[in-house]
Amino acid sequence: MDKLLIEMLDRIFQGLKCKKISEEELDQGVEKALKMYREFFPEICLDKLRSQVKDYIHEIMYVAHPVGSILHDNKIKPSEWWKDEGLQWNHYRAFESVLTHLPLEVRNTLDKDTDKILSHLPNPKSNDFFSILGLVVGFVQMGKTTSYTGVINKAIDCGYDIVLILAGLTNDLRDQTQKRIEESVIGINTNSQTKIGVGPLLESANDVVASTTRNITRVINNEKVIVSSGDFDREKIGSVVYKQGKKYIFVIKKSPGNLTAFSDWVKNQVFYDQEVNKATGVSLLMIDDESDHASPNTAINDMSSTNRHIRSCINLFCKHVYIGYTATAFANILIPASENGKNHFNQLPDLFPKDFIFLLEPPSNYMGPSEFFESPLSARAVTPYIRFLTDSWEDVTDEESRLVTLPASLKSAVLYFLTTGALRNLRKGLKKHHSMLIHVDPYKPTHKSIRSHVAEYVEHLRKVTTGEKKDASVWKDLYALYQDIIRTSSAISSRMHYNPSVLFDVSFSYSEVKEEFINYVNSLDTDGDYKVKIMEINSDSDDKLKYDEHPEGLNVIAVGGYVLSRGFTLEGLVVSYFRRVTPQIDTLLQACRWNGFHDEYRDLIRVYTTKELYNLFCTTTNITSNLAEQFREMAKNKKTPEEFGLTILDIQAHAIDKNGRKKKLRPTSANKMRNAKRISIDTDSFEGEALDISTFMLNDNAQIERLNDTKMIINNLGLNQMEVTDDDGAYYWRHANPLIVADYLEKFPSCSLARMKQPRKVSAFIRKQVQLGKLDGIDIAIVSLKRNGGQKIELAEEVVVNSAKRKYVDYYEADNIIEVSGGHTFTPRHISYGLSKEEIDIVEADSNKSFKSSSTPNLTQTMDVRERRNAGMLLIYFYSPDALNEGLKEKNCNKKITEPYVALSLVLPGTPSSPQKVYANSVFLKNYLENIAKGYYKKKGESACQ
């Protein structure tokens, strides 16, 4: 479908709020769009177009996309300062107009996300100097390039003068980024000097100067060779001359030589003040793509070369913004934060994202790590995209890791790729490119041998399909794959929570698929070569994956390693054959090139890998999700990256290399982890432990809110469900809805000394346990002390409690915190509240103790009974203000409490977990040690990461 029709559909269905429309409204909207479209193209056949339009609505416009979370410095108040300037988004709106292939909701979120990022960038036209260091984090293949091109366009509209994009370490990656920038920002093909992308939509495409170009290639001996690099080097310093009012875009490799050339260019321009050795009249926006790769400092007592040159380039400008982009932020958060704002190493700022971190949230149609790898193999069934490799690679390779014969698993994967190529041809109107990835290891001799054997096998298939050879096993395997596709497509369709109405077309008969398979394997391109290419992609090979040079679609089996991992996009990737073993989480995750958006052929995606690698991917997915959740938590708490410490889970897992040696899984390379510390901390699992809130910030108004929350929980529980204990010691609800407790805890303020430090996290944990079926109910009791009770508190017409007299109080003046009874809340006798008579009999019989005596059953014995019905326990107490004041008086504290304080004790079923080992960044470690010094919790142990 063309751009005009897509824009018509966007306008019509944006007004109808298409997520909630009926099929009748859908049909009406489609007919309205087609009628408008036919006015422009009266000869068009609407019958053929109608089904394509409805598929577009179902598969594209039903996508939801949450706005990202930003963590920032509270001292820098976010401000949409550009509104005061009356700016128009000329460049951004042109950019937005070329994104019609994206779902409407995704475009809307992109606009909001780029606004959020820009709101933490200063106005470049102000007279103030500024230094901003930020980080944007998204998942692999999720659209980070689209995000930063959006930011660049808005920055240009706002007046940023120079944009420097660090685009990977290889010529191919730099050239790939150069083309994206030309289409999305500059608007001119720098080789042909013709307008492309945003070019025709800009009032003036000459206000942005392309300071770098595409690589120039020539065909030499039938091979395409780079004869001139478009990168910026010393020879090109004099060819770019700054003119005031123009905006300059540089796309360079992340290498010391190119960075030095850029620095020398800056020093030779009119805006550079030689006396202060700074560029004073212009502003710099530096975008560091894959900022965890090569950019962090890996030297011990100095700066590594690339790191030094990046920091030097930033430091040349009095007005500079550095934004790193990455999917694997482990190395970035482990960069040491400057102490008290001081910089080391000759005052060059390090690259810790001190000012903000922005977490890009994925749209609902994104296929990421959690879609492919939900949980370890031992815990749950494997996702339908995975096919396990059971053969041994060592059995088919020689001593130098070269392939000797093609293993059965790789034959099956290649045959499946060709089968899906045939099926995609039968499904009309699908995306053109069709790719397969073979990633076994990073060694080039392995790539060469794999390419050779795969080419031989594909040639064998061609001869079988033309009748030149006989091989019945091919047709037997083809039929088995055909049946597997039919079975799997429905399973994958049912997983599409964002649009369950999508049904993938698998209505083709086996004979139709077989016929198209024969055609596909033997089809030729316009050059007379076979359409399906087998390419070796590494620095030694002349093969290049240039999708833009194949307008009819590139069909390729790509064999490679390093080049086909970080930053590289394989268009139309359907099949991945993956055996690469590495102990580094960031390397493993970056190799997941199968992540991304595959709406039209989602059901055909397959990842062929080993069980061991599947479990490693599940583990890394868990670690990544945990870090993303910390980003969200930091955003909720409105903390800066210099205030909120971050950790990376140290899950005791190992990668086993091809020689059978175990290598411990680690977040990133050892030289990027020198500033991390491996420590043990309390985990976010709250099973089996008594979590008390008997420690409070001294704030009467907050306790009035807690009192009202307690009245609300009684209202939600219902007086008709309430029971009273035989001794009138408590009002209780047996096996109440856990989500009521989750809502109750959500509003409780956190207190650093409390045994339940973060009620919000406990609330989230309860919700998760409910989803997993591990928590069916919680016994809730509001305790009323009949003997020695304090002031009466009326919670409802039938609920009047006597507050507890607790006067054993500690007061921490520096933090304005009051701790009651050593931070412990519940009384052992009260843990029986909510148990039935039969359950009480069981506990007393098993423990040989009575709840009515001074020696009561312990918590573990009582919770054993509750675990049989998946139930927890919540006790709610009210502390008498008079008693608390007596305790404060004894501590020579003249503070006065006027309201009863609400205390809690919560126990959830399960076994208490041991402390979790984590790698802590410098901010977390600083906070951790300070809390130990204050006595907030005991030191669990730490060790340096080597």
Side-chain angles (χ1 to χ4, degrees):
M1 294 190 299
D2 67 15
K3 179 181 173 182
L4 177 62
L5 180 55
I6 290 174
E7 288 178 349
M8 290 176 177
L9 291 166
D10 284 357
R11 285 199 299 270
I12 291 169
F13 286 96
Q14 183 178 23
L16 288 175
K17 297 181 180 179
C18 65
K19 291 183 186 178
K20 300 178 181 179
I21 66 175
S22 66
E23 284 298 313
E24 182 180 357
E25 289 174 308
L26 172 63
D27 290 336
Q28 290 173 355
V30 169
E31 293 305 318
K32 182 178 179 180
L34 291 177
K35 183 178 179 181
M36 293 165 57
Y37 188 68
R38 196 168 190 174
E39 292 179 4
F40 292 90
F41 303 99
E43 74 285 354
I44 197 76
C45 177
L46 296 186
D47 290 338
K48 291 183 179 179
L49 193 57
R50 185 173 285 107
S51 61
Q52 291 184 32
V53 170
K54 292 189 72 172
D55 286 345
Y56 172 81
I57 299 299
H58 276 126
E59 296 178 2
I60 300 298
M61 295 189 70
Y62 277 53
V63 175
H65 192 180
V67 176
S69 304
I70 196 160
L71 329 171
H72 59 273
D73 189 339
N74 283 332
K75 294 184 289 295
I76 302 175
K77 186 177 180 181
S79 168
E80 295 185 344
W81 44 263
W82 56 87
K83 291 183 178 179
D84 296 332
E85 300 283 319
L87 293 174
Q88 301 297 316
W89 295 132
N90 296 324
H91 282 267
Y92 185 80
R93 293 308 172 208
F95 166 68
E96 194 175 45
S97 295
V98 301
L99 299 178
T100 51
H101 62 286
L102 295 179
L104 180 63
E105 185 73 11
V106 172
R107 280 175 274 153
N108 290 339
T109 297
L110 176 65
D111 192 11
K112 295 173 185 175
D113 282 351
T114 49
D115 272 1
K116 274 192 168 186
I117 295 171
L118 199 68
S119 70
H120 289 81
L121 274 54
N123 184 347
K125 296 178 182 178
S126 70
N127 294 323
D128 297 331
F129 294 160
F130 54 79
S131 173
I132 300 295
L133 300 177
L135 177 68
V136 178
V137 183
F139 295 104
V140 174
Q141 297 286 84
M142 202 189 79
K144 294 183 295 297
T145 304
T146 302
S147 172
Y148 72 66
T149 49
V151 171
I152 290 170
N153 275 293
K154 285 189 175 178
I156 289 173
D157 283 326
C158 288
Y160 276 82
D161 300 293
I162 298 170
V163 179
L164 176 63
I165 302 160
L166 307 183
L169 301 178
T170 66
N171 282 320
D172 285 342
L173 281 179
R174 193 214 71 84
D175 201 44
Q176 175 180 279
T177 305
Q178 177 75 33
K179 291 172 183 175
R180 287 287 297 271
I181 294 299
E182 288 176 12
E183 293 167 355
S184 302
V185 181
I186 299 169
I188 295 177
N189 181 321
T190 54
N191 281 1
S192 66
Q193 291 299 306
T194 56
K195 288 187 177 183
I196 58 172
V198 299
L201 303 170
L202 293 171
E203 293 179 9
S204 172
N206 298 320
D207 59 342
V208 177
V209 178
S211 308
T212 52
T213 66
R214 301 186 185 198
N215 297 334
I216 299 174
T217 60
R218 295 283 185 269
V219 177
I220 302 175
N221 297 326
N222 296 322
E223 297 291 347
K224 288 186 176 180
V225 179
I226 297 176
V227 295
S228 177
S229 170
D231 207 343
F232 197 74
D233 54 30
R234 295 192 61 81
E235 295 179 0
K236 297 176 183 175
I237 291 175
S239 63
V240 181
V241 179
Y242 176 81
K243 294 181 180 179
Q244 191 171 3
K246 300 284 187 181
K247 310 303 176 187
Y248 291 79
I249 308 285
F250 295 80
V251 182
I252 71 173
K253 286 196 301 294
K254 199 185 299 187
S255 71
N258 299 110
L259 288 161
T260 298
F262 174 78
S263 295
D264 290 344
W265 176 82
V266 171
K267 293 174 183 177
N268 281 285
Q269 302 309 308
V270 295
F271 54 70
Y272 192 76
D273 189 330
Q274 301 293 339
E275 292 185 6
V276 296
N277 291 323
K278 295 278 186 179
T280 56
V282 295
S283 53
L284 171 73
L285 169 62
M286 181 187 288
I287 301 291
D288 186 357
D289 199 5
E290 307 294 346
S291 61
D292 65 311
H293 190 46
S295 300
N297 186 20
T298 55
I300 299 176
N301 296 317
D302 197 357
M303 290 175 278
S304 53
S305 182
T306 302
N307 175 262
R308 178 195 297 275
H309 282 85
I310 292 173
R311 291 159 71 172
S312 295
C313 285
I314 295 171
N315 203 45
L316 285 174
F317 293 80
C318 291
K319 298 178 179 182
H320 62 253
V321 174
Y322 167 91
I323 306 177
Y325 271 78
T326 185
T328 46
F330 306 119
N332 301 89
I333 68 167
L334 295 180
I335 296 170
S338 298
E339 220 173 296
N340 300 321
K342 294 179 182 177
N343 295 313
H344 304 288
F345 304 129
N346 301 320
Q347 299 302 308
L348 294 181
D350 205 344
L351 303 180
F352 180 77
K354 64 182 180 62
D355 296 296
F356 70 86
I357 300 175
F358 190 87
L359 176 65
L360 293 169
E361 295 289 359
S364 56
N365 64 332
Y366 170 70
M367 296 181 70
S370 59
E371 179 74 9
F372 290 100
F373 309 104
E374 291 180 337
S375 59
L377 183 60
S378 58
R380 191 178 296 180
V382 181
T383 63
Y385 308 101
I386 306 300
R387 296 296 178 268
F388 284 133
L389 306 175
T390 56
D391 47 13
S392 170
W393 190 256
E394 287 66 41
D395 291 343
V396 293
T397 53
D398 61 18
E399 293 180 355
E400 296 182 3
S401 297
R402 292 175 300 197
L403 195 62
V404 176
T405 184
L406 205 63
S409 61
L410 187 47
K411 285 183 180 180
S412 179
V414 170
L415 186 64
Y416 177 78
F417 169 72
L418 298 170
T419 305
T420 56
L423 193 61
R424 290 184 68 187
N425 282 346
L426 291 171
R427 295 177 180 178
K428 304 301 181 184
L430 294 191
K431 291 178 181 177
K432 298 169 184 175
H433 302 303
H434 186 60
S435 304
M436 175 179 179
L437 166 68
I438 301 176
H439 189 158
V440 174
D441 64 35
Y443 305 112
K444 296 167 190 175
T446 305
H447 304 163
K448 193 174 189 66
S449 62
I450 292 173
R451 182 189 184 281
S452 175
H453 281 86
V454 169
E456 288 179 9
Y457 178 62
V458 173
E459 182 59 28
H460 171 74
L461 292 175
R462 290 186 179 120
K463 291 179 178 179
V464 171
T465 56
T466 58
E468 186 177 340
K469 280 188 175 182
K470 300 291 184 183
D471 188 346
S473 66
V474 170
W475 306 117
K476 179 182 176 182
D477 293 342
L478 180 67
Y479 183 69
L481 291 172
Y482 163 77
Q483 290 183 311
D484 178 67
I485 288 171
I486 292 175
R487 287 192 302 269
T488 308
S489 289
S490 60
I492 291 175
S493 181
S494 66
R495 293 170 61 90
M496 293 178 63
H497 56 278
Y498 75 94
N499 185 10
S501 65
V502 172
L503 294 175
F504 298 104
D505 190 358
V506 289
S507 62
F508 311 106
S509 66
Y510 171 66
S511 59
E512 289 178 292
V513 174
K514 180 179 178 181
E515 181 181 355
E516 186 57 38
F517 173 81
I518 295 170
N519 293 335
Y520 179 68
V521 171
N522 293 285
S523 59
L524 304 177
D525 59 22
T526 54
D527 295 331
D529 296 327
Y530 285 112
K531 184 173 285 186
V532 177
K533 318 288 185 187
I534 298 95
M535 294 186 179
E536 177 188 346
I537 309 298
N538 55 44
S539 57
D540 285 353
S541 172
D542 293 328
D543 291 340
K544 301 296 179 185
L545 281 174
K546 295 186 178 293
Y547 289 98
D548 59 329
E549 295 180 1
H550 297 267
E552 296 303 314
L554 177 60
N555 295 263
V556 61
I557 299 173
V559 185
Y562 288 129
V563 176
L564 291 180
S565 54
R566 181 180 287 271
F568 200 93
T569 300
L570 288 94
E571 302 285 351
L573 180 61
V574 176
V575 183
S576 299
Y577 185 91
F578 191 86
R579 285 184 178 269
R580 167 81 179 278
V581 177
T582 173
Q584 291 180 198
I585 296 173
D586 51 7
T587 302
L588 198 62
L589 288 171
Q590 288 287 351
C592 297
R593 308 325 294 174
W594 51 82
N595 291 353
F597 304 92
H598 312 285
D599 295 287
E600 298 167 322
Y601 52 94
R602 190 186 190 105
D603 64 316
L604 303 179
I605 303 293
R606 298 291 185 274
V607 178
Y608 289 75
T609 191
T610 64
K611 290 183 179 179
E612 292 75 19
L613 274 169
Y614 179 86
N615 277 324
L616 277 183
F617 275 122
C618 289
T619 299
T620 58
T621 298
N622 184 17
I623 292 169
T624 305
S625 298
N626 178 271
L627 183 58
E629 192 55 43
Q630 290 181 66
F631 290 155
R632 296 184 188 103
E633 184 69 22
M634 184 159 35
K636 284 181 183 178
N637 292 335
K638 298 181 179 179
K639 294 285 187 179
T640 122
E642 288 186 311
E643 294 172 336
F644 190 102
L646 296 164
T647 63
I648 305 166
L649 291 180
D650 177 24
I651 296 177
Q652 298 298 301
H654 294 80
I656 300 176
D657 66 16
K658 60 184 179 182
N659 297 315
R661 293 175 299 204
K662 293 174 67 176
K663 294 185 177 181
K664 188 178 181 303
L665 202 65
R666 63 188 181 208
T668 186
S669 60
N671 58 10
K672 296 177 184 176
M673 296 178 62
R674 290 196 183 99
N675 297 295
K677 295 290 183 181
R678 185 170 177 264
I679 62 175
S680 296
I681 61 171
D682 294 333
T683 69
D684 284 344
S685 174
F686 304 103
E687 295 178 291
E689 298 184 31
L691 299 165
D692 293 357
I693 294 182
S694 192
T695 307
F696 317 93
M697 296 296 295
L698 205 54
N699 185 333
D700 283 358
N701 290 332
Q703 292 308 315
I704 293 174
E705 292 179 13
R706 302 293 77 76
L707 178 64
N708 290 333
D709 290 340
T710 307
K711 292 178 180 179
M712 184 63 70
I713 199 175
I714 292 172
N715 182 64
N716 292 335
L717 290 167
L719 293 176
N720 58 333
Q721 301 294 320
M722 183 182 73
E723 301 180 56
V724 182
T725 57
D726 292 340
D727 60 356
D728 292 332
Y731 304 92
Y732 71 92
W733 291 260
R734 187 172 182 271
H735 213 69
N737 185 345
L739 298 181
I740 293 177
V741 176
D743 291 341
Y744 184 57
L745 293 177
E746 187 78 34
K747 299 177 182 179
F748 255 80
S750 58
C751 180
S752 55
L753 267 67
R755 299 181 71 216
M756 189 195 301
K757 292 183 179 64
Q758 294 177 303
R760 282 184 180 177
K761 280 192 175 183
V762 180
S763 172
F765 181 75
I766 289 173
R767 297 182 199 280
K768 184 176 180 180
Q769 294 298 90
V770 171
Q771 289 177 346
L772 296 174
K774 294 183 177 182
L775 184 63
D776 295 333
I778 295 180
D779 298 334
I780 301 173
I782 299 176
V783 178
S784 177
L785 297 183
K786 294 303 178 184
R787 290 184 299 173
N788 301 319
Q791 291 100 317
K792 292 186 180 296
I793 302 165
E794 183 175 346
L795 301 174
E797 188 175 344
E798 301 176 32
V799 183
V800 179
V801 301
N802 293 325
S803 59
K805 288 184 177 181
R806 299 281 181 93
K807 61 179 183 177
Y808 174 55
V809 172
D810 286 308
Y811 177 59
Y812 299 88
E813 184 176 1
D815 300 298
N816 197 35
I817 287 175
I818 179 175
E819 184 177 77
V820 184
S821 299
H824 293 272
T825 305
F826 80 89
T827 303
R829 185 171 54 85
H830 297 162
I831 61 178
S832 67
Y833 294 158
L835 295 179
S836 67
K837 184 179 183 306
E838 292 77 11
E839 287 173 329
I840 290 175
D841 290 343
I842 292 171
V843 174
E844 291 183 337
D846 290 345
S847 63
N848 198 28
K849 295 179 180 178
S850 171
F851 285 110
K852 295 180 180 179
S853 67
S854 58
S855 177
T856 62
N858 63 35
L859 178 62
T860 302
Q861 293 164 331
T862 309
M863 287 307 298
D864 284 343
V865 170
R866 283 192 167 93
E867 284 184 9
R868 298 177 193 180
R869 53 182 169 90
N870 265 2
M873 175 196 68
L874 173 67
L875 295 172
I876 302 175
Y877 294 80
F878 290 90
Y879 290 162
S880 162
D882 291 344
L884 294 178
N885 286 325
E886 287 183 38
L888 287 172
K889 187 176 180 180
E890 291 178 4
K891 296 293 182 180
N892 297 317
C893 175
N894 58 4
K895 297 283 184 178
K896 189 75 173 177
I897 292 173
T898 61
E899 303 294 334
Y901 275 40
V902 183
L904 306 178
S905 183
L906 173 71
V907 185
L908 299 173
T911 304
S913 57
S914 57
Q916 172 70 58
K917 293 186 182 300
V918 298
Y919 297 104
N921 77 349
S922 62
V923 178
F924 185 94
L925 188 66
K926 179 176 178 289
N927 296 341
Y928 174 78
L929 295 176
E930 287 178 354
N931 286 335
I932 288 175
K934 291 178 180 179
Y936 286 0
Y937 48 80
K938 293 181 179 179
K939 187 173 181 179
K940 302 283 188 181
E942 65 179 70
S943 63
C945 299
Q946 303 296 333

